């Protein structure tokens, strides 16, 4: 394995990590996946192997366990880590903040510490559009000020970004990129990997696909009295395969020594705002079905609208979202059907 062309993926059995593993392998990288399977199944790694036809190194490791992590660094040579491993449920983070600070921050600090200890240069971090909160101006650019976090989950993203910035500033051999994802949705077109939420989904698209599959009775549209064209919230829904390709572009930039700053931030979205009702209608149209839904009160903590200004990612990373919303929602439904045997 060439260390420059090898990437450690923490949380690589998860939703975004597994899709990213596929795209990295397709682009000629070797990957090493580590995951503690706290929110995923090892079958996702099998899916990556099936799609790519490559044997993928996989270790069950908790990134909070520094000794176990050190063994991974001793065993494999890689220049780059992509750190996905984190808990991500906003509501749960309000009820159990320590669980979130513990897992999301300790795991990230362990990763950065090992990168420093083993002289491995490149850290790519999964951040989130949640850092922008309710922004004054839309679309948001990377220099739009972050708002105080409204959940411990969101706070872990802000703190981890700051940790990475400070470490890149302090340690001469360390480089960092934070990708701020907007709303990742969809699944691999093979339907071999996709999103597998445990319990009742919080996110819109898994709730839609589970409703279409008959697992949920009715979708609630949280608020139709927002100051938006149809009264429902606006978001920037990004196809998970496009999102995965953004990671490849960022890894290329790091490994080819093209970074202009030691720490860089990119918005990863489509740049197009889509309302909840538009998304439902598109899902129905492309999949030829009717979805039971009803209007419901606003969900506490939701922002009215957020979407990305993507010029920086387009021009500097040379990456652009390509898949159309309809294709993405078709893939999401194909994946749900596969999982449920519908
Ligand atoms: P996911 O839960 O599917 O994947 C995360 C993976 O990390 C899981 O496989 C989980 O088992 C693993 N994990 C968690 N804690 C771990 C630990 N201590 N050690 C080892 N493995 C651990 O979530 P995802 O949607 O793929 O998200 C990936 C990353 O992207 C997360 O950091 C998340 O916060 C961030 N993100 C996600 C979204 C989204 O809407 N999905 C949006 C913005 C940012
Ligand atoms: C989208 C829209 C809801 C469910 C969250 C996190 C964010 C990021 C991505 C990680 C909103 C509406 C939803 C439902 C609905 N994750 N909705 N009925 O809230 O934009 O972002 O996931 O970083 O941090 O907060 O995504 O998919 O939950 O909601 O009407 O049953 O769908 O009100 O307008 P959100 P979402």
């Amino acid at each position: 394995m060439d260390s420059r062309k090898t990437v450690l993926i923490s949380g690589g059995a998860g939703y975004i990590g597994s899709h990213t593993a596929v795209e990295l392998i397709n682009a000629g990288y070797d990957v090493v996946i580590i995951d503690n399977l706290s929110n995923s199944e090892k079958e996702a790694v099998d899916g990556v192997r099936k799609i790519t036809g490559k044997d993928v190194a996989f270790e069950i490791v908790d990134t909070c366990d520094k000794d176990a992590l050190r063994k991974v660094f001793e065993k494999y040579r890689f220049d780059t880590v992509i750190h996905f491993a984190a808990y991500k449920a906003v509501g749960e983070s309000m009820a159990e903040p320590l669980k979130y600070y513990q897992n999301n921050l300790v795991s990230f600090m362990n990763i950065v510490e090992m990168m420093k200890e083993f002289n491995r240069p490149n850290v790519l971090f999964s951040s989130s559009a949640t850092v922008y909160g309710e922004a004054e101006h839309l679309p948001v650019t990377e220099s739009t000020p972050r708002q105080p976090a409204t959940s411990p989950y969101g706070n872990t993203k802000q703190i981890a970004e700051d940790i990475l910035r400070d470490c890149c500033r302090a340690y001469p051999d360390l480089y960092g990129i934070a990708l701020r994802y907007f709303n990742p949705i969809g699944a691999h077109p093979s339907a071999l990997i996709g999103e597998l939420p445990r319990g009742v989904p919080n996110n819109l698209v898994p709730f839609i696909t589970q409703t279409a599959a008959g697992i949920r009775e009715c979708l609630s549209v949280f608020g139709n009295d927002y100051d938006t064209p149809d009264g429902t919230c606006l978001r920037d829904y990004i196809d998970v395969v496009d999102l995965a390709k953004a990671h490849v572009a960022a890894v290329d930039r790091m490994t080819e020594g093209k970074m202009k700053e030691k720490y860089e931030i990119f918005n990863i979205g489509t740049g197009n705002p889509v309302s909840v009702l538009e998304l439902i209608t598109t899902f129905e149209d492309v999949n030829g079905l009717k979805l039971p839904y009803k209007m419901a009160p606003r969900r506490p903590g939701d922002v009215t609208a957020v979407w990305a200004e993507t010029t920086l990612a387009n021009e500097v990373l040379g990456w652009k979202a390509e898949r159309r919303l309809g294709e993405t929602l078709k893939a999401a439904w194909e994946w749900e059907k596969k999982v449920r045997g519908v």
Side-chain angles (χ1 to χ4, degrees):
M1 282 186 177
D2 171 0
S3 67
R4 210 175 57 88
K5 293 295 279 180
T6 305
V7 179
L8 178 70
I9 307 181
S10 78
Y15 173 45
I16 305 169
S18 56
H19 289 81
T20 300
V22 167
E23 295 310 319
L24 281 167
I25 294 167
N26 286 345
Y29 288 93
D30 285 315
V31 304
V32 176
I33 291 178
I34 55 173
D35 204 300
N36 66 357
L37 302 179
S38 57
N39 196 39
S40 53
E41 310 292 335
K42 64 176 175 12
E43 284 69 24
V45 180
D46 296 333
V48 174
R49 292 179 177 132
K50 262 192 209 146
I51 295 168
T52 59
K54 290 270 159 63
D55 193 23
V56 174
F58 172 51
E59 312 264 353
I60 298 179
V61 168
D62 187 331
T63 44
C64 290
D65 178 347
K66 209 191 290 181
D67 293 333
L69 198 54
R70 186 175 278 111
K71 290 200 177 80
V72 172
F73 277 72
E74 283 164 354
K75 184 166 171 187
Y76 300 99
R77 293 200 50 84
F78 48 83
D79 281 5
T80 305
V81 62
I82 308 181
H83 181 67
F84 293 105
Y87 296 146
K88 62 168 181 177
V90 175
E92 186 189 51
S93 82
M94 311 284 271
E96 295 188 69
L98 265 182
K99 178 175 167 179
Y100 276 69
Y101 287 117
Q102 183 78 28
N103 193 50
N104 295 8
L105 296 180
V106 171
S107 71
F108 185 57
M109 287 190 289
N110 283 347
I111 289 277
V112 176
E113 188 182 336
M114 287 302 114
M115 292 298 280
K116 181 171 175 291
E117 189 174 312
F118 284 80
N119 284 313
R120 312 279 171 89
N122 307 322
V123 178
L124 208 167
F125 173 65
S126 296
S127 191
S128 168
T130 191
V131 302
Y132 295 117
E134 187 90 62
E136 260 179 50
H137 300 287
L138 290 165
V140 290
T141 73
E142 289 76 359
S143 42
T144 296
R146 297 183 321 190
Q147 302 285 342
T150 53
S151 72
Y153 167 75
N155 209 17
T156 67
K157 291 298 172 195
Q158 299 210 5
I159 295 169
E161 281 191 355
D162 293 346
I163 291 172
L164 187 54
R165 178 202 60 206
D166 293 346
C167 290
C168 292
R169 196 179 280 160
Y171 307 134
D173 298 325
L174 193 73
Y175 292 79
I177 289 182
L179 297 183
R180 291 178 176 161
Y181 316 154
F182 281 68
N183 287 60
I185 60 166
H188 195 268
S190 65
L192 287 167
I193 50 173
E195 191 169 10
L196 259 190
R198 293 188 170 165
V200 182
N202 297 306
N203 293 118
L204 179 60
V205 170
F207 204 104
I208 287 178
T209 55
Q210 290 197 8
T211 306
I215 296 158
R216 311 283 155 210
E217 234 167 68
C218 184
L219 168 75
S220 294
V221 174
F222 296 143
N224 64 346
D225 57 351
Y226 285 98
D227 183 16
T228 60
D230 67 15
T232 65
C233 295
L234 297 172
R235 296 287 184 276
D236 185 335
Y237 296 96
I238 169 85
D239 186 282
V240 68
V241 176
D242 279 336
L243 174 59
K245 288 179 179 168
H247 291 79
V248 178
V251 172
D252 286 347
R253 182 169 173 80
M254 296 182 118
T255 54
E256 289 165 10
K258 289 185 175 159
M259 288 178 68
K260 294 276 186 295
E261 311 279 344
K262 290 204 69 212
Y263 169 63
E264 298 177 338
I265 301 171
F266 297 96
N267 282 346
I268 305 297
T270 64
N272 303 320
V274 172
S275 77
V276 177
L277 288 178
E278 278 175 287
L279 191 132
I280 294 171
T281 310
T282 309
F283 182 84
E284 291 180 328
D285 288 351
V286 297
N287 293 311
L289 44 80
K290 279 283 163 209
L291 202 70
Y293 69 88
K294 60 171 194 262
M295 297 305 163
R298 291 181 177 198
R299 183 173 68 177
D302 274 346
V303 299
T304 304
V306 62
W307 71 93
E309 168 61 59
T310 61
T311 307
L312 201 65
N314 299 160
E315 291 181 356
V316 177
L317 290 182
W319 167 90
K320 200 173 183 345
E322 283 169 354
R323 297 187 83 198
R324 300 177 68 84
L325 183 63
E327 283 177 83
T328 304
L329 292 175
K330 239 175 151 36
W333 179 226
E334 290 307 316
W335 164 248
E336 186 72 54
K337 284 193 288 186
K338 164 94 183 306
V339 170
R340 308 294 162 191
V342 176

